[in-house]
Each structure stands twice: as C-alpha cells, then as structure tokens.
C-alpha cells in the first residue's frame, strides 16, 4: 500500500535529536545534558503554569477560535500591531505558505537554515529555491536573495539564523524587503537573545511577516505556540487558511500569562550571554560568533556526526549540522543549558 504515499514523503523528513532516555540507556549514563534543541532549561513561569491549569479545567470547550486573549496580551506587550497565532512557529510557517503559495509557485530560502521551511513548502507542492549564504561568515547574499525573491511568493530569512547563530542587520533586511516582489518571512525565533530589533520595519513595509515563538525564552516548547507580526491585509486570509482550533486553549492561556512575567526570560537571557562568552573562551575548538541561545562549533578534524557520538558517550546530547543542507560536515550546534550541562559539555569536548 506504500505506493499510495506522496513521493515527497517517501524519504527525508524532519530530523529530531535523539532522546535523552535512549542515550542514557545506550551508554549507561545516568544524567544527560540536553543541548540539542535550543530549549530554555528553566520550567515555565509560575504565572504561565497557573493560567494553563485554569484553562485545563475548562478544556471541555473548544478554544476561542481567534485567540483574542493572546492577541490582546501581545498588543499590550508590543504595541498596536496585527498578529496571527499558530501551533508553534511551525504552525505559522505552514499556514502562511498555505495562504499564499499555489502549487508550483516559488519559495526562496536563505540557506543553510532551519529545515522546516523547505518541508512545509514541499508539502504545498511549492518550488523551493535555495540561496546560499556567504561561506566566509554565513551572512546573506543580499543580491541573490533579492533576485530569487523577485519571482518567489515568499522569501524566507532566519535571523538570528539556525544553526549558524549570526543575525542579519536590519538595513540588509530592509534592502531585501525593497527588492523582492512577494512576502518576506523573517524568522525571529531567537531574536530575544540578540540586540537586533526588526519591529520598526513593520511600520514601513507591508510585505513583512515576523515570526516569533514561545518555545525558547518563554520555556513553553512543549505547548506548541507561536505568533507573528503580520501586515493587516494578510490577517483575514491567514485566518481562512489556518486549521480550525489548531491553537489549544491551555497553550494560549499559558502564553498570554507568560508575557506578564518579563523576569522569566531575563534569567535565561543572562545565562546565555554569560555562557556564550565562556564557551568561546574555554572550548578548544573554534566557536562561531552567535546572537542566539546556541553556538555552532567547528569540530574538524572530526565530523559533526562523530562528535555527536563522542559527546553522547560522555552524557551530552548536541546536534550534528550534517542535516542542514549546504554546510560542510564538520560542525555541531550546541544549545546553552543549565550550568552543570554547559560545564559537562566543556569538559567533555575538551577531552576529545
Ligand atoms: N524557527 C526556528 C529557526 C527554529 O529553530 C524553530 C525550532 N527549533 C522553530 C522556528 C519552530 O519553533 P516552534 O517551536 O515555535 O514551532
């Protein structure tokens, strides 16, 4: 019966980090440092947990279909923008592509980067155009991205970029917005860890969508909730394209409450700044400069896959960058976790 499956799903798919429990069993390690998925190691804010519990008690009802409470909380926090929400930023990426892209139309992606843009575009039978970043520092090739964006419905730029960690200056993003014909999806999953601010661009350009997530600074990865700053013209069409009730009421309530607790993200942001410096100083392999809560490490002469294996034996899970198309095979990506996890990573990698 497999012949019935669409050809695009016969191989490939999203690459997940190995489970901590599996690694622990395989190598006989009791305590595993989980540094592969760029999560905030702190549990969610107490405000978010209380709101989630309350919403859970009323979960016999379908959620508010428009997510008004969360949208209002986002306006209170960020100002009078138009927002869309989704089941993780992944849900937003999927819905945005569904809203705008007819089968066969182009989606241009600055690579190497997060893989889900390409997978979601493929699911919509889009034509994916990849635009390689500069090899030297992974900055974007603005001219080529604009060229590709002239015929693409959506141009995708991740800043700070996963997995390379570098951010694109707002002026360069502005240049891309000026030059392309379609919408720019600017993925800001990690922007809170950087000093970059792209929101002023929302006032000037009506072809910009800025994606954000509650999975990182807000510690809500397990609840699958994201949002995007979107131009007002797009919102009603996005609403029509989205899966009904995709954002559940518990997640929406937790996210709205998380916005009321700015101290929560601040603790982890400070941890990221502190450990970003320590990794650069203490790890014997070259660390690439990062504006995110992870770093990319050049582990030559090992391959990324070999280093992942070496570190797993020592109780540390990191991500090999092999599956990010367009990168040489000697990089790993390491999230900044709790002190003991980061310390274990430094000690483990320096012993290899
Ligand atoms: N964009 C980037 C760059 C990411 O790294 C991730 C998750 N790792 C996502 C989007 C998806 O975020 P979410 O958990 O909100 O779906």
């Amino acid at each position: 019966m497999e012949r019935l499956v669409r050809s695009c799903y016969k191989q490939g798919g999203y690459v997940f980090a190995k489970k901590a429990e599996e690694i622990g069993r395989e190598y006989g390690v009791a305590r595993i440092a989980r540094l592969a998925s760029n999560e905030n190691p702190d549990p969610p804010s107490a405000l978010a947990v209380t709101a989630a519990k309350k919403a859970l008690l009323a979960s016999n009802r379908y959620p508010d279909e428009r997510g008004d409470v969360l949208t209002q909380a986002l306006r209170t926090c960020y100002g009078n923008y138009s927002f869309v929400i989704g089941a993780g930023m992944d849900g937003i990426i999927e819905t945005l592509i569904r809203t705008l892209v007819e089968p066969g139309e182009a989606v241009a992606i600055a690579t190497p980067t997060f893989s889900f843009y390409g997978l979601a575009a493929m699911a919509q039978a889009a034509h994916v155009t990849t635009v390689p970043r500069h090899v030297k520092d992974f900055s974007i090739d603005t001219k080529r991205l604009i060229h590709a964006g002239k015929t693409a419905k959506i141009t995708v730029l991740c800043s700070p970029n996963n997995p390379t960690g570098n951010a694109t200056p707002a002026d360069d993003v502005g240049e891309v917005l000026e030059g392309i014909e379609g919408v720019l999806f600017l993925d800001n999953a990690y922007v809170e860890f950087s000093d970059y601010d792209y929101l002023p661009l929302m006032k000037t350009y009506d072809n910009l969508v800025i994606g954000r997530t509650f999975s990182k600074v807000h510690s809500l990865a397990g609840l699958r909730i994201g949002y995007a700053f979107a131009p007002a013209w797009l919102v009603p069409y996005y609403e029509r394209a989205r899966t009904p009730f995709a954002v559940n009421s518990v997640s929406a309530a937790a996210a709205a409450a998380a916005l009321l607790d700015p101290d929560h993200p601040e603790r982890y942001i400070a941890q990221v700044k502190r450990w970003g410096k320590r990794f650069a100083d203490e790890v014997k392999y070259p660390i690439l400069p990062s504006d995110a809560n992870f770093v990319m490490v050049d582990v030559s002469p090992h391959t990324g896959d070999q280093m992942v294996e070496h570190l797993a034996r020592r109780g540390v899970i990191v991500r090999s960058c092999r599956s990010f198309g367009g990168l040489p095979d000697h990089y790993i990506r390491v999230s900044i976790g709790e002190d003991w996890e980061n310390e274990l990573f430094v000690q483990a990698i320096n012993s290899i």
Side-chain angles (χ1 to χ4, degrees):
M1 293 305 279
E2 281 86 348
R3 68 188 161 76
L4 299 178
V5 175
R6 283 174 67 194
S7 57
C8 62
Y9 291 122
K10 292 257 165 77
Q11 56 190 10
Y14 193 86
V15 177
F16 296 93
K18 240 183 168 174
K19 284 203 169 73
E21 298 77 18
E22 277 170 31
I23 302 257
R25 262 199 310 277
E26 210 172 318
Y27 299 116
V29 187
R31 205 175 182 210
I32 303 287
R34 295 169 60 160
L35 304 180
S37 300
N38 304 338
E39 297 146 332
N40 185 334
D42 296 335
S45 149
L47 292 183
V49 173
T50 304
K53 280 185 183 157
K54 191 168 165 221
L56 186 60
L57 293 174
S59 60
N60 53 312
R61 301 291 179 192
Y62 280 104
D64 162 24
E65 81 279 13
R66 290 202 314 264
D68 286 343
V69 172
L70 178 54
T71 307
Q72 197 45 53
L74 287 163
R75 291 219 174 90
T76 306
C77 187
Y78 292 110
N80 194 24
Y81 294 94
S82 301
F83 292 96
V84 294
I85 61 174
M89 200 199 302
D90 288 344
I92 291 178
I93 292 164
E94 243 173 2
T95 307
L96 183 67
I97 294 174
R98 204 154 69 212
T99 310
L100 298 179
V101 183
E102 302 279 4
E105 288 185 333
V107 173
I109 306 174
T111 58
T113 195
F114 183 53
S115 65
F116 190 64
Y117 318 122
L119 294 170
M122 187 186 74
Q124 193 57 31
H127 174 74
V128 174
T129 315
T130 53
V131 183
R133 289 165 172 265
H134 294 297
V135 177
K136 153 174 78 65
D137 58 1
F138 300 113
S139 59
I140 58 164
D141 186 332
T142 314
K143 275 209 189 73
R144 283 185 67 185
L145 195 58
I146 290 173
H147 179 73
K150 291 238 184 258
T151 49
K153 267 281 176 74
I154 304 179
T155 299
V156 182
L157 172 58
C158 185
S159 182
N161 187 41
N162 179 5
T164 56
N166 60 307
T168 301
D171 286 352
D172 293 358
V173 177
E175 206 180 316
V176 173
L177 284 160
E178 291 281 346
I180 62 173
E181 294 296 329
V183 160
L184 178 70
F185 182 71
L186 181 68
D187 182 329
N188 271 182
Y190 301 100
V191 79
E192 294 91 342
F193 303 106
S194 78
D195 298 324
Y196 287 77
D197 180 10
Y198 302 101
L199 288 188
L201 295 169
M202 288 302 304
K203 306 271 184 218
T204 315
Y205 296 99
D206 67 355
N207 61 341
L208 173 61
V209 176
I210 298 183
R212 296 268 189 98
T213 178
F214 285 92
S215 298
K216 309 298 175 184
V217 278
H218 293 293
S219 302
L220 295 175
L223 289 188
R224 315 303 307 120
I225 183 140
Y227 62 101
F229 298 82
W233 65 264
L234 179 63
V235 175
Y237 300 105
Y238 177 100
E239 292 296 319
R240 217 171 269 171
R242 73 179 163 78
T243 306
F245 307 117
V247 172
N248 72 72
S249 49
V250 176
S251 304
L259 292 172
L260 301 174
D261 185 0
D263 292 346
H264 176 84
E266 283 311 320
R267 201 208 74 88
Y268 180 50
I269 290 167
Q271 170 84 345
V272 166
K273 300 241 148 110
R274 192 163 57 245
W275 274 97
K277 285 198 196 77
R278 282 195 60 180
F279 279 178
D281 291 344
E282 296 175 25
V283 171
K284 72 178 187 188
Y285 296 89
I287 304 267
L288 279 77
S290 175
D291 288 298
N293 66 334
F294 55 84
V295 292
M296 198 160 82
V297 189
D298 180 349
V299 294
S300 330
H302 309 275
T303 66
D305 286 1
Q306 286 166 343
M307 187 54 95
V308 165
E309 178 76 20
H310 290 319
L311 289 169
R313 282 180 195 287
R314 292 160 175 81
V316 183
I317 313 183
V318 301
R319 175 81 194 261
S320 165
C321 292
R322 185 172 54 84
S323 61
F324 291 92
L327 269 179
D329 68 359
H330 53 82
Y331 288 109
I332 57 168
R333 191 195 67 196
V334 184
S335 316
I336 293 174
E338 292 181 54
D339 287 344
W340 73 267
E341 294 178 299
N342 304 333
E343 275 155 16
L344 183 61
F345 162 68
V346 173
Q347 183 202 330
I349 195 168
N350 284 347
S351 73
I352 295 159

